[in-house]
Amino acid sequence: MIFLLSLTNQRFMWMRQFLSKQVIRRAIKLTSLFLVVCLLVFTPMSFAQNPAQNFSQGFVNGSAPVVVDGIPLFKLQALERFTAKERTQFANNILREAIATDQPITFDVRNDDSTSATSISLNDNYLLTVTANDVLPGFSRTQQANQWRAILETAIAKAKKERTPQYLWQRSLWILSVIAALIVVRLFLGLATRIFKFQTGIFSKIFFSFSWGAIAIVSSDWFPILRSLRYQFISPFSQPQWLLFFGAVGGSFVFSHYATDLVKLALKKLAPHTLETIYIEIVQPSDRLLEFAVLSICISWSVSLLEPLVPVVYNLLKPIINLFLIGSLYWLSVKLSSRYLRTYGFKLGSKFSPSSDDAILVFETIIHILIFIGALVAFASSLNFDLIGLVASLGLVGLAVAFAAQKILEQLIATLVLYLDRPFVTGDYIRLPGGELGKVESIGLRSTKIRSLGTGTIIVMPNSILVSVEIENVTLAKKIMVLFYMDFASVLGEREYALVQQVIMEKTAYLSGIDTNSTNISQADGTGKRLRVSFAILGSQDNAIEVRKRLLELARAKIAKSLSIHGIVFTMEDPTVYVQSPITI
């Protein structure tokens, strides 16, 4: 009993732990989804009124730093005639040229009483002007200029020191020593793992990765060239707009990854069960394609943020992103429409006609053509190319194309007539105007394929011809085999036998629906006094069969009258037999 209680308690604890893990995972998942939605929905709101203006303010009206060897010193503001970037670029070029020479560098602060302007000079050459916009709160122009002069002197002295051979050799020796030490530690650690048979695990990877990263960071900070390269690479991305761009790109991958989960969750909570079933049957097989389409939409929105930042890069990426976006949406639309028609279209069509598959496939092809035209027009519009206007402005070329496509349009309309009138369907046996008998293999968008029963080859007939000629549908006909016996008083000689055959064929030839090729007259026994006559009555409706039976009775009376003139008398003791049988080809 105690054992059972302990076992039950253990199971209960295990289930509680399992459920708690499931709840935690679900909570983390929902929280992540919520944060992604907030990032993608609420972030663009601050830029909704005029995104280009908001982005460009940081470049046109913002500040730019004066930089020495990759170290920003202070920032200059824009003036009426010059942007902040133009001002700092002028000063940075002068400082770079001065550092590259061996001459001593001195800075002076000058006040022009006539213009009330305060400027900083380098070796008696103009460097920059301190404006009212540049001055920090609590400082005058002269105080601000003196502070900047001190900062420049310190930075130039540091730059001159870092270019001396002694400094370069010392720092290089430190870096090489640390690299050699890491290599030695790596070798000893490898030998130790082989000798003592122990696993270092992930800790050694973290340690060496961190060590190499630290060497790279320290090297880029010690050497002026590396520090300048680091600044040139990172500084363009220091703006908040770039942070938003990279956040949007990262959020695009996260959101596209969970897009299908969000749709499933929404359908499960909000939509009826039938809609959820449709999603499982139609959309779920293309989940990967749906994720790629959502990713393309999000990336397209993210790349649009680059337009005010780097127009050249934006104009380069825009056609590529639009191609992926429209291509993924086109492919997704084709897949979903095909799967929907083949899943529900066939079921719906089978209720009206068992052979409606070809019509569904033709309709599917037409939808795919329309989707392709829409995708082509959308891609052309994204490139500011008026495709519709171009086609409309072609004029004579359009008329030539329309004339060339006249036959194709005629065949398409003929296909529509075939599906509406349905003189034959796939699988029917038909007789062509030339007498060729064949089986309908398929009804396409332009032509119908018929397999000849005589040669076994495929006859491709344009639909426009099939709707304008007389086609005999053998399958639709009902075949009734008629059998009766004629008993004669005396034995029929060859002349009398031939005469009987001739009269029977003449009196039944004029009857419509009688297949003369299947009429058979033969001896029923060896006495020569009894003949067996068989006919085949063809018809597509029950009332037509009844009419032809009546006509056959009249024809039999005429046969008896014609033979009696020649002295041939017969009786029909056995009743006429009517047997319904399928058409034999």
Side-chain angles (χ1 to χ4, degrees):
M1 185 67 180
I2 297 174
F3 174 75
L4 292 175
L5 290 175
S6 62
L7 183 61
T8 304
N9 190 21
Q10 290 178 0
R11 289 184 177 179
F12 177 74
M13 293 179 62
W14 178 83
M15 291 178 63
R16 186 174 61 182
Q17 292 177 358
F18 177 77
L19 291 176
S20 62
K21 290 180 181 179
Q22 291 291 103
V23 171
I24 292 173
R25 289 178 182 175
R26 190 174 183 84
I28 293 174
K29 189 175 182 180
L30 292 176
T31 304
S32 303
L33 293 176
F34 176 75
L35 293 176
V36 170
V37 172
C38 291
L39 176 65
L40 295 177
V41 174
F42 295 106
T43 302
M45 286 181 143
S46 59
F47 303 94
Q49 295 181 354
N50 194 345
Q53 181 178 358
N54 291 331
F55 280 119
S56 60
Q57 285 178 354
F59 292 86
V60 179
N61 300 326
S63 59
V66 175
V67 182
V68 174
D69 288 341
I71 300 176
L73 303 179
F74 50 84
K75 293 184 178 181
L76 299 180
Q77 304 295 328
L79 290 176
E80 295 180 357
R81 293 184 300 171
F82 304 100
T83 63
K85 187 175 181 179
E86 292 174 344
R87 294 183 64 196
T88 55
Q89 187 174 3
F90 176 81
N92 290 335
N93 291 335
I94 294 178
L95 292 173
R96 191 181 303 110
E97 293 175 359
I99 294 172
T101 62
D102 296 332
Q103 298 178 357
I105 299 175
T106 58
F107 294 95
D108 293 325
V109 176
R110 298 179 179 180
N111 294 314
D112 191 347
D113 296 333
S114 60
T115 59
S116 299
T118 301
S119 61
I120 300 176
S121 62
L122 187 154
N123 292 342
D124 296 330
N125 294 322
Y126 173 81
L127 179 63
L128 59 89
T129 301
V130 181
T131 64
N133 295 332
D134 299 325
V135 178
L136 297 176
F139 282 78
S140 63
R141 294 186 182 181
T142 304
Q143 291 175 338
Q144 187 70 75
N146 289 326
Q147 183 188 33
W148 285 357
R149 182 188 65 179
I151 293 174
L152 288 171
E153 290 174 349
T154 304
I156 294 300
K158 183 175 184 298
K160 289 287 188 180
K161 178 183 177 181
E162 289 177 346
R163 281 168 172 77
T164 59
Q166 181 181 0
Y167 176 86
L168 294 176
W169 277 108
Q170 182 184 8
R171 299 297 179 177
S172 300
L173 185 60
W174 275 102
I175 296 297
L176 293 175
S177 300
V178 174
I179 292 175
L182 278 178
I183 295 174
V184 171
V185 172
R186 182 69 177 178
L187 291 176
F188 276 106
L189 187 60
L191 291 174
T193 54
R194 292 184 179 181
I195 295 173
F196 298 102
K197 305 295 182 181
F198 67 88
Q199 298 293 333
T200 57
I202 196 174
F203 296 103
S204 63
K205 296 181 180 179
I206 295 175
F207 171 75
F208 285 106
S209 299
F210 178 78
S211 300
W212 289 114
I215 291 174
I217 293 174
V218 172
S219 300
S220 65
D221 191 64
W222 278 356
F223 298 98
I225 297 177
L226 296 179
R227 192 166 58 239
S228 298
L229 293 175
R230 182 187 65 183
Y231 177 78
Q232 291 177 5
F233 179 76
I234 297 177
S235 61
F237 305 105
S238 61
Q239 298 293 333
Q241 294 85 352
W242 282 104
L243 181 62
L244 176 63
F245 168 73
F246 288 115
V249 172
S252 299
F253 284 94
V254 176
F255 180 73
S256 63
H257 180 72
Y258 290 105
T260 55
D261 294 334
L262 283 172
V263 174
K264 293 176 184 177
L265 184 62
L267 291 176
K268 186 176 181 180
K269 299 296 183 182
L270 303 176
H273 180 69
T274 54
L275 191 59
E276 185 180 0
T277 304
I278 293 175
Y279 177 85
I280 294 173
E281 294 180 352
I282 305 301
V283 183
Q284 189 167 347
S286 302
D287 274 353
R288 295 295 182 185
L289 187 57
L290 177 61
E291 291 178 5
F292 184 76
V294 174
L295 177 62
S296 301
I297 295 173
C298 296
I299 291 295
S300 177
W301 178 83
S302 302
V303 171
S304 65
L305 302 176
L306 292 177
E307 184 176 8
L309 294 174
V310 276
V312 177
V313 176
Y314 171 76
N315 293 329
L316 180 64
L317 294 178
K318 180 182 177 181
I320 302 174
I321 298 299
N322 289 336
L323 179 62
F324 278 100
L325 172 61
I326 297 174
S328 61
L329 292 178
Y330 163 73
W331 194 245
L332 180 63
S333 301
V334 168
K335 288 289 186 182
L336 296 183
S337 61
S338 297
R339 195 173 291 115
Y340 184 83
L341 288 175
R342 298 192 179 193
T343 302
Y344 294 97
F346 287 164
K347 294 180 181 178
L348 182 62
S350 61
K351 296 180 180 179
F352 298 96
S353 176
S355 56
S356 61
D357 296 354
D358 290 333
I360 298 297
L361 294 177
V362 171
F363 187 62
E364 177 187 354
T365 304
I366 295 174
I367 290 179
H368 290 177
I369 293 174
L370 294 177
I371 294 175
F372 176 77
I373 294 174
L376 186 63
V377 173
F379 181 69
S381 300
S382 67
L383 300 179
N384 297 325
F385 182 78
D386 190 2
L387 184 62
I388 299 177
L390 177 63
V391 173
S393 63
L394 289 178
L396 296 176
V397 177
L399 292 176
V401 172
F403 180 77
Q406 182 178 1
K407 290 293 183 182
I408 299 177
L409 293 176
E410 181 182 353
Q411 291 164 358
L412 292 177
I413 296 173
T415 302
L416 182 61
V417 172
L418 284 180
Y419 280 107
L420 293 178
D421 189 53
R422 304 186 68 81
F424 53 82
V425 295
T426 303
D428 283 0
Y429 289 92
I430 62 175
R431 196 182 304 276
L432 298 177
E436 185 74 19
L437 186 64
K439 180 182 179 182
V440 179
E441 294 285 338
S442 65
I443 303 174
L445 190 63
R446 187 193 67 86
S447 61
T448 298
K449 295 179 177 61
I450 304 168
R451 183 174 297 277
S452 174
L453 297 184
T455 60
T457 57
I458 293 295
I459 302 173
V460 180
M461 294 285 291
N463 294 333
S464 58
I465 296 178
L466 291 176
V467 298
S468 60
V469 297
E470 182 179 354
I471 300 295
E472 181 182 356
N473 193 325
V474 181
T475 303
L476 288 181
K478 291 183 179 181
K479 183 177 180 181
I480 304 295
M481 298 302 298
V482 181
L483 179 64
F484 60 87
Y485 294 91
M486 301 174 63
D487 297 316
F488 297 90
S490 59
V491 178
L492 296 176
E494 292 183 2
R495 178 179 174 279
E496 289 82 4
Y497 181 72
L499 181 61
V500 171
Q501 285 184 325
Q502 180 182 356
V503 171
I504 293 175
M505 297 299 294
E506 288 178 356
K507 298 304 179 182
T508 58
Y510 73 94
L511 298 177
S512 62
I514 300 295
D515 188 6
T516 56
N517 295 325
S518 61
T519 302
N520 185 26
I521 305 170
S522 61
Q523 294 286 342
D525 53 19
T527 61
K529 297 181 179 181
R530 188 177 180 129
L531 295 181
R532 180 175 59 192
V533 183
S534 61
F535 296 93
I537 301 177
L538 301 178
S540 59
Q541 298 178 354
D542 293 336
N543 54 0
I545 296 293
E546 293 297 328
V547 170
R548 283 160 190 169
K549 287 182 180 180
R550 300 289 184 183
L551 293 176
L552 185 58
E553 294 292 336
L554 296 176
R556 193 159 48 191
K558 292 181 179 180
I559 292 172
K561 184 177 180 179
S562 297
L563 291 178
S564 64
I565 296 174
H566 298 283
I568 301 175
V569 180
F570 68 92
T571 60
M572 296 178 60
E573 297 180 359
D574 296 333
T576 304
V577 179
Y578 297 94
V579 179
Q580 184 171 350
S581 62
I583 295 293
T584 56
I585 305 300

